[in-house]
Amino acid sequence: MRFNFLCAVHRQQLESDPSRAVRLWQDGLDTTQFYCEQCMWPEAISHAGCAFEIADIILSHRFINYLLACDRFCYSTLLISEIFSRLDCENEARQVLTMAIDRYERELNLSTLGRDTIIDCLNQLYVFGLVHFSSSDNYFYKTGICSPKITIN
């Protein structure tokens, strides 16, 4: 499943304007934080979703330092997953985590650049999945997505 928090026009604009993308990611995060502090989860989800998609754009286009982009994408993933969980949208939370895990695993296969950071991000996502979804029916165990902590050989 692909989430569409950004319309095609805004996505295209952000893909061609790195400084705007970085600024709007931070704005989206700040707005999300405000709504989260007020426990206004429905209002927070759209801003978190935009921040998540912008973080993906920033990582894909390497608009900023690669390691920082990886961290921002991980943070955005954890944030939107948490909000989905609070809204009792467990499937969406799992889908976001799975998309991010798949993305990081592809990144690991593309380059050795930032390997430690990517592995740290993967571990954070795995832990989130294990903690937030019931252990008796944990999606991350059943699908084989979750593995023990990843380490560097």
Side-chain angles (χ1 to χ4, degrees), residues 73-97:
F73 183 67
C74 183
Y75 182 78
S76 298
T77 301
L78 294 170
L79 183 62
I80 191 172
S81 296
E82 174 68 27
I83 296 168
F84 273 136
S85 293
R86 289 183 181 267
L87 289 169
D88 293 324
C89 298
E90 193 170 291
N91 287 336
E92 289 83 354
R94 288 176 176 160
Q95 288 171 350
V96 168
L97 285 176

Side-chain angles (χ1 to χ4, degrees), residues 4-19:
N4 290 308
F5 290 98
L6 295 173
C7 71
V9 171
H10 284 121
R11 176 177 293 285
Q12 186 176 14
Q13 288 174 349
L14 293 172
E15 287 175 344
S16 63
D17 190 347
S19 62

Side-chain angles (χ1 to χ4, degrees), residues 24-131:
L24 288 179
W25 176 82
Q26 187 62 58
D27 289 348
L29 217 56
D30 292 343
T31 304
T32 301
Q33 186 64 37
F34 169 79
Y35 285 125
C36 287
E37 289 170 0
Q38 308 302 315
C39 298
M40 298 171 71
W41 311 118
E43 291 81 1
I45 196 67
S46 62
H47 296 282
C50 288
F52 172 73
E53 288 189 23
I54 294 169
D56 183 51
I57 291 169
I58 291 169
L59 181 58
S60 296
H61 294 280
R62 308 290 200 261
F63 286 161
I64 60 174
N65 173 281
Y66 180 71
L67 302 180
L68 182 57
C70 285
D71 281 338
R72 286 184 177 187
F73 183 67
C74 183
Y75 182 78
S76 298
T77 301
L78 294 170
L79 183 62
I80 191 172
S81 296
E82 174 68 27
I83 296 168
F84 273 136
S85 293
R86 289 183 181 267
L87 289 169
D88 293 324
C89 298
E90 193 170 291
N91 287 336
E92 289 83 354
R94 288 176 176 160
Q95 288 171 350
V96 168
L97 285 176
T98 301
M99 287 169 43
I101 288 168
D102 290 346
R103 171 67 187 272
Y104 281 123
E105 287 175 350
R106 284 193 311 274
E107 293 288 330
L108 276 176
N109 292 326
L110 293 175
S111 169
T112 57
L113 178 67
R115 192 168 177 79
D116 292 344
T117 298
I118 294 170
I119 289 170
D120 181 55
C121 290
L122 278 167
N123 285 329
Q124 289 179 59
L125 298 175
Y126 288 139
V127 168
F128 183 94
L130 291 171
V131 168

